[in-house]
Amino acid sequence: MLQSMRDNLKGTAAVIVAAFFGFIMVIGGIDFFTGASGGSADAVADINGEKISNLDLQRAIQNRRNLIMSQYGEDVPADLLSDEQLREPVLQQLINSSVMRQAAQDSGMVMSDAAVDRETVQIPGFQVNGKFDPQMYRDALRRMGYSPANFRQIMERDLVLQQYADSVTDSAFTTRADAEQVVAVSMEERDFDYAVLPVQGLLEEMNVSDSEIEQYYQENQAQFQRPEQVAIEYIELKPGLFAANIDISEQDVRAQYEQEVASFRADIRRRAAHILLEEASQEKVAEVQAKLDAGEDFAALAKTYSDDLGSREEGGDLGFTAGDVFPEAFEQALASLEVGQVSAPVTTDSGTHFIKLLEVEDAEPPTFAERKSAIEAQLRNAEAEREFVGALGRLADLAYNADTLAGPAQELGVPLQTSELFSRQGGPGIAANDKVVAAAFAPEAKEDGNTSDVLNLNNEHSVVLRVTEHKPAGVYPLEEVREQIVQRLKRDKASAQLAGRAQELKAQLESGADFAKLAEEHKLTLETSDKTRRGGFGERGEIIARAFALDAPGARGDIVSSFATSDGDQVVLKLRDVRPGQLARQSREQRSALMQQLASVGGGAELAALQKYLANKADIELGKSN
């Protein structure tokens, strides 16, 4: 089937799939299909009998929302995060995942326990300072509502899915002929000379009449369209606005320190290790107990028997606890042990544990010097938070129906701020926030002149605003764009004047004149550009693009061209030589990398085609809400 699809792909535009279903993890906040509730009555889709429940969809939507917020922060437009915006693409991704996973299962693919463990410990969400942390692993699973066994099952399933996708992309290849064709175009080199006739020196000599300005303005109204705009005044509240004015005395700091010391309890921290049997039969529990009774090494037994992949390679070491890390039964058993002692079997929701106390550590209170700066910051922030909350509570009443926000700002002891005009696409500073833009363009603020409600941009950032200026959409008045038009007309006139000189130079070059001598006579700088490849920025990029648009020189000799840049400068260019890129001229490493890149592109296209094929032949039923 794969070969026939390859044949069908030839000659079609390859759709490059950059990272189709890369390894998707829930801890990273990326779309993740749990499949944990398939078969529930509220199914939103049925794919060959496998159901995607509404819970599956909502989880995936929330994970996609978390990913977007992690990328764009609090200022992400609200419509990008709505269920309506995310529902369809996320559901389609779940369907794609389902058909691919089913195909992987049908092909008999499996994943070993060792491979699952290797991938699990590499997940960034389970690591601290780049190293797998058992406690992070357990906490993350607990937050997401997964048991280790359930999470292992999910990991195994999605690794199989990745293995199936890799079997398609890794089998793709490219031919040397394909590579040579790509290199011939992408690494083509051109040799050319050019001289720029700049308009800048002529601008002051150009005269523009009022009638010319008026005519250009009337004939080019589309260039001068102004979007609807507003300007606002606003009061912005943050705890930091109040913290700067708060003084904390050393007496208060010392009083707080003494209170901390008085309430300090020298908590005993215990370091534990365990052997976890998730599904422990009486025979297996007895087997481990017997080996412990016989004096066999606890760490070695943990590596052999423990089902806790996060700690077994460390001999079952779980780190320290102050009595609040593990389940109650676990903590009670640990507290009853002496250092080096192993408990009898202890049962929790995770399974059956054999617990060993490795170490006991007593905590001592820090000194005043160690705590002083932290306490000062704590007291200052606490007072600032109180002032922030108090100001926030008064803000709505003070700003309600206010003709100006100057009075409320003075009453609260914070500055009144203003913005420049901005459109519905936002502007700099506070106007970049989607909530602020929406409130400023709301009819009650824009048209009625009312003060907005208090906008909570986040837990410690609130704003109230009032529109101070409103400009409807339309054409900018002539006076506002007059100077822009004058400069445009002067540039056009100067460029037209230079075009005649450029044409003369072109004709002389085509007659065999020497470019260097012509440039010197006309006081121009001759630029030589050899071994030039495509690309570039600004005017240089425009010149290169025009050079590559010319036909290659033939028997008649060099190709000469003249043209204007977007800035109005005139350019005279002589193309001397064109050399297609040659794969053989690339190093072995470059050739290998290119072949791999082209194969990757082909593999992505094949994977996209396979997914489409599987989806087309699948029996897919969508719920009524879809």
Side-chain angles (χ1 to χ4, degrees):
M1 177 186 72
L2 186 57
Q3 185 59 49
S4 66
M5 285 171 36
R6 282 185 178 143
D7 295 338
N8 291 333
L9 272 171
K10 293 176 181 177
T12 63
V15 179
I16 302 173
V17 181
F20 185 78
F21 291 118
F23 190 50
I24 301 170
M25 295 314 305
V26 68
I27 302 303
I30 305 175
D31 298 321
F32 182 79
F33 174 48
T34 67
S37 55
S40 60
D42 61 340
V44 294
D46 185 301
I47 301 93
N48 295 325
E50 179 181 289
K51 290 179 172 55
I52 297 175
S53 73
N54 189 55
L55 175 60
D56 296 328
L57 178 59
Q58 292 306 315
R59 274 184 173 178
I61 288 174
Q62 185 57 47
N63 289 327
R64 174 72 68 86
R65 186 178 290 119
N66 290 343
L67 175 61
I68 294 173
M69 293 179 68
S70 71
Q71 291 175 329
Y72 298 104
E74 66 178 51
D75 292 333
V76 61
D79 59 347
L80 287 182
L81 303 177
S82 68
D83 281 7
E84 293 76 11
Q85 181 76 14
L86 297 175
R87 182 182 180 86
E88 184 174 347
V90 170
L91 178 58
Q92 186 59 54
Q93 185 172 358
L94 297 183
I95 292 172
N96 292 344
S97 178
S98 179
V99 297
M100 292 286 288
R101 188 174 55 255
Q102 291 176 28
Q105 292 170 347
D106 292 343
S107 69
M109 287 186 173
V110 295
M111 190 63 56
S112 68
D113 289 345
V116 174
D117 290 350
R118 281 196 304 271
E119 293 297 335
T120 300
V121 299
Q122 295 301 316
I123 297 171
F126 298 155
Q127 294 180 347
V128 175
N129 296 326
K131 184 178 180 181
F132 180 80
D133 185 87
Q135 191 61 48
M136 288 285 289
Y137 166 75
R138 288 188 295 272
D139 290 345
L141 262 59
R142 186 163 52 248
R143 286 195 303 271
M144 298 306 300
Y146 295 114
S147 69
N150 180 234
F151 186 76
R152 171 182 285 277
Q153 181 182 14
I154 294 169
M155 284 284 296
E156 180 180 5
R157 183 203 59 206
D158 286 332
L159 281 169
V160 168
L161 172 60
Q162 185 64 55
Q163 179 179 248
Y164 184 71
D166 289 345
S167 71
V168 178
T169 57
D170 291 349
S171 67
F173 63 91
T174 190
T175 66
R176 185 179 180 87
D178 292 335
E180 287 176 342
Q181 190 175 32
V182 170
V183 169
V185 177
S186 64
M187 297 186 179
E188 177 184 314
E189 294 180 345
R190 296 197 167 202
D191 299 338
F192 57 90
D193 304 318
Y194 67 94
V196 177
L197 287 68
V199 297
Q200 194 63 41
L202 295 178
L203 293 181
E204 294 302 320
E205 302 175 15
M206 300 298 107
N207 294 313
V208 179
S209 67
D210 289 342
S211 61
E212 288 176 310
I213 296 172
E214 177 68 29
Q215 182 179 356
Y216 188 91
Y217 177 73
Q218 294 299 333
E219 292 176 355
N220 295 275
Q221 296 277 292
Q223 295 183 23
F224 309 118
Q225 293 296 315
R226 180 187 64 200
E228 183 182 19
Q229 295 176 305
V230 296
I232 61 173
E233 63 177 15
Y234 61 97
I235 296 173
E236 188 175 25
L237 294 185
K238 295 180 179 180
L241 288 173
F242 303 97
N245 298 321
I246 295 174
D247 293 324
I248 303 298
S249 67
E250 182 162 339
Q251 182 180 359
D252 291 337
V253 176
R254 187 165 292 278
Q256 177 65 25
Y257 173 75
E258 295 298 337
Q259 184 177 342
E260 287 184 4
V261 171
S263 62
F264 185 87
R265 181 171 57 88
D267 292 322
I268 296 177
R269 300 174 71 243
R270 294 179 172 86
R271 184 180 173 194
H274 78 152
I275 299 170
L276 172 65
L277 306 178
E278 288 185 347
E279 298 178 0
S281 63
Q282 291 183 353
E283 292 78 6
K284 193 170 185 179
V285 171
E287 180 182 345
V288 175
Q289 184 68 69
K291 290 181 181 290
L292 289 169
D293 292 342
E296 293 194 25
D297 182 63
F298 186 92
L301 291 175
K303 291 181 179 180
T304 301
Y305 288 97
S306 182
D307 291 324
D308 182 1
L309 67 91
S311 68
R312 68 186 183 197
E313 294 304 317
E314 305 296 328
D317 192 346
L318 296 171
F320 284 95
T321 173
D324 56 358
V325 173
F326 307 115
E328 183 178 357
F330 189 108
E331 294 284 4
Q332 289 179 351
L334 180 65
S336 68
L337 299 175
E338 300 293 334
V339 174
Q341 188 178 4
V342 179
S343 73
V346 177
T347 301
T348 70
D349 291 341
S350 300
T352 300
H353 309 259
F354 291 92
I355 305 168
K356 182 177 182 179
L357 178 61
L358 300 178
E359 183 182 350
V360 177
E361 182 183 84
D362 293 336
E364 295 294 333
T367 65
F368 178 74
E370 291 172 333
R371 286 290 297 152
K372 181 179 179 181
S373 61
I375 292 176
E376 284 180 343
Q378 175 185 335
L379 293 176
R380 183 176 291 106
N381 291 338
E383 183 59 30
E385 183 69 27
R386 281 191 290 271
E387 291 195 21
F388 167 73
V389 172
L392 188 59
R394 300 170 59 200
L395 179 59
D397 290 338
L398 290 172
Y400 182 72
N401 279 344
D403 292 332
T404 173
L405 295 178
Q410 184 177 10
E411 182 75 18
L412 295 172
V414 296
L416 176 65
Q417 302 183 68
T418 59
S419 80
E420 299 176 355
L421 285 164
F422 59 90
S423 69
R424 291 180 185 271
Q425 280 66 52
I430 197 72
N433 187 281
D434 189 57
K435 292 181 179 179
V436 170
V437 173
F441 281 91
E444 54 270 24
K446 178 185 64 175
E447 298 168 8
D448 301 337
N450 294 337
T451 303
S452 74
D453 293 334
V454 176
L455 309 176
N456 296 314
L457 306 187
N458 61 41
N459 291 337
E460 295 186 340
H461 188 187
S462 297
V463 170
V464 65
L465 62 87
R466 195 180 71 85
V467 173
T468 56
E469 185 178 1
H470 173 225
K471 288 190 174 182
V475 180
Y476 283 104
L478 175 57
E479 289 310 309
E480 290 189 30
V481 295
R482 182 183 181 86
E483 186 57 30
Q484 176 184 339
I485 294 174
V486 168
Q487 293 303 315
R488 178 74 264 179
L489 290 175
K490 283 187 174 184
R491 191 170 294 275
D492 289 347
K493 286 186 174 185
S495 184
Q497 182 173 316
L498 288 174
R501 292 176 56 192
Q503 285 296 322
E504 291 175 7
L505 290 173
K506 177 187 174 189
Q508 289 176 286
L509 289 173
E510 290 175 333
S511 298
D514 182 82
F515 205 167
K517 290 183 179 179
L518 282 177
E520 184 177 0
E521 290 174 8
H522 291 269
K523 297 181 180 180
L524 301 173
T525 300
L526 180 65
E527 301 287 351
T528 297
S529 186
D530 290 337
K531 298 182 180 180
T532 308
R533 291 185 179 175
R534 300 174 190 270
F537 301 94
E539 187 170 81
R540 167 73 176 172
E542 289 185 58
I543 293 171
I544 291 174
R546 294 297 291 262
F548 272 84
L550 297 174
D551 293 334
R556 296 182 181 179
D558 301 336
I559 301 296
V560 181
S561 175
S562 65
F563 55 88
T565 68
S566 59
D567 288 335
D569 294 340
Q570 291 287 332
V571 179
V572 180
L573 182 147
K574 182 172 73 172
L575 177 63
R576 294 183 276 106
D577 193 19
V578 174
R579 293 178 300 280
Q582 296 180 17
L583 185 63
R585 294 175 58 190
Q586 311 306 311
S587 69
R588 178 179 299 179
E589 293 76 13
Q590 289 173 322
R591 292 197 298 270
S592 176
L594 176 63
M595 297 290 281
Q596 290 178 5
Q597 183 178 7
L598 293 176
S600 176
V601 171
E606 290 184 6
L607 186 61
L610 174 59
Q611 185 276 315
K612 184 176 180 180
Y613 167 78
L614 293 172
N616 286 341
K617 77 168 189 174
D619 182 10
I620 300 175
E621 295 182 11
L622 300 180
K624 293 181 179 180
S625 61
N626 297 281

